[in-house]
Amino acid sequence: MVTPERALPGRDDYPYSVPATHAVLGTPLRGPWPEGTQVIYLALGCFWGAEKEMWNLPGVVTTAAGYQGGITPFPTYEETCTGLTGHTETVLVAYDPAVLPTTELLRTFWTLHDPTQGYRQGNDVGTQYRSAVFTTTPEQAEAAATTRALYEPELRRNGYGEITTEVRPVDGEGGAGTFYYAEDYHQQYLHKVPNGYCPVHSTGVACPVP
């Protein structure tokens, strides 16, 4: 992981425009969203395929691709891919927990990728592809800890190692910090480029959420 001394300096604002509306759902990409909407940030490798999986879930209000968990303010895609920003490719998921319970959303998160790979997913190698859950409520943090504790023994029984997923709140000391929206062409990429390459790396191991 890059140190603050080596991290790229970044900038004070976006060097590109961020679209206002989700290309598939037609909802605001940056809010405001209906009352009761919660937001969680999930990183599970390349954000193109991950975002598509999330926007297809019932109860999801909007999704967005972006960069989070690092040091460099307002990074670009090219900068993030150098590993010198500290960010991981992240998907913002705004959802209605009355329709999509947080534990069910996290069950989907765990089973869509291999959370034991450290700084990679499949052939995508680097800190920008690490697995992460960045929470915005205590309930989300509890759900992340609970589902992780349930899933790790299942992975071990199927020949995988320990979960390396980074779990931390967005705010506060040691928090993941600001979610920076990715460039327009990354938003809902697999809708805009239906045959685009971006596999998910599921282990095929089920997560036993109660």
Side-chain angles (χ1 to χ4, degrees):
M1 182 64 69
V2 67
T3 62
E5 295 74 25
R6 293 184 57 238
L8 297 175
R11 49 196 60 80
D12 295 329
D13 202 354
Y14 289 105
Y16 46 80
S17 60
V18 176
T21 305
H22 195 284
V24 178
L25 301 177
T27 49
L29 213 63
R30 302 173 71 175
W33 299 302
E35 184 177 354
T37 299
Q38 289 191 15
V39 178
I40 195 169
Y41 302 91
L42 304 174
L44 50 156
C46 172
F47 50 23
W48 293 342
E51 189 196 9
K52 181 178 180 179
E53 295 291 340
M54 296 301 161
W55 83 55
N56 279 314
L57 294 176
V60 167
V61 177
T62 203
T63 61
Y67 317 111
Q68 194 173 20
I71 300 161
T72 302
F74 297 98
T76 65
Y77 179 68
E78 288 74 17
E79 289 171 345
T80 302
C81 285
T82 67
L84 295 176
T85 70
H87 294 296
T88 184
E89 293 192 13
T90 305
V91 178
L92 175 156
V93 183
Y95 65 104
D96 180 353
V99 179
L100 178 62
T102 302
T103 52
E104 176 61 17
L105 174 56
L106 287 168
R107 184 196 65 79
T108 302
F109 162 79
W110 293 119
T111 56
L112 279 176
H113 73 304
D114 182 349
T116 71
Q117 289 198 6
Y119 294 154
R120 67 181 299 161
Q121 277 295 302
N123 293 327
D124 293 329
V125 179
T127 57
Q128 68 270 29
Y129 297 114
R130 69 188 186 274
S131 172
V133 179
F134 302 136
T135 62
T136 60
T137 70
E139 292 76 18
Q140 289 177 356
E142 181 179 358
T146 299
T147 54
R148 176 179 183 150
L150 288 167
Y151 195 40
E152 190 166 68
E154 294 299 315
L155 288 169
R156 288 186 179 278
R157 274 194 284 272
N158 285 273
Y160 292 89
E162 67 178 328
I163 288 176
T164 59
T165 302
E166 179 181 333
V167 180
R168 54 179 167 145
V170 170
D171 298 323
E173 185 176 355
T178 302
F179 172 84
Y180 298 102
Y181 286 81
E183 294 85 340
D184 187 2
Y185 72 95
H186 289 300
Q187 305 300 339
Q188 299 84 64
Y189 177 85
L190 291 183
H191 168 73
K192 299 170 182 175
V193 185
N195 296 320
Y197 172 78
C198 189
V200 292
H201 297 278
S202 173
T203 62
V205 179
C207 181
V209 170

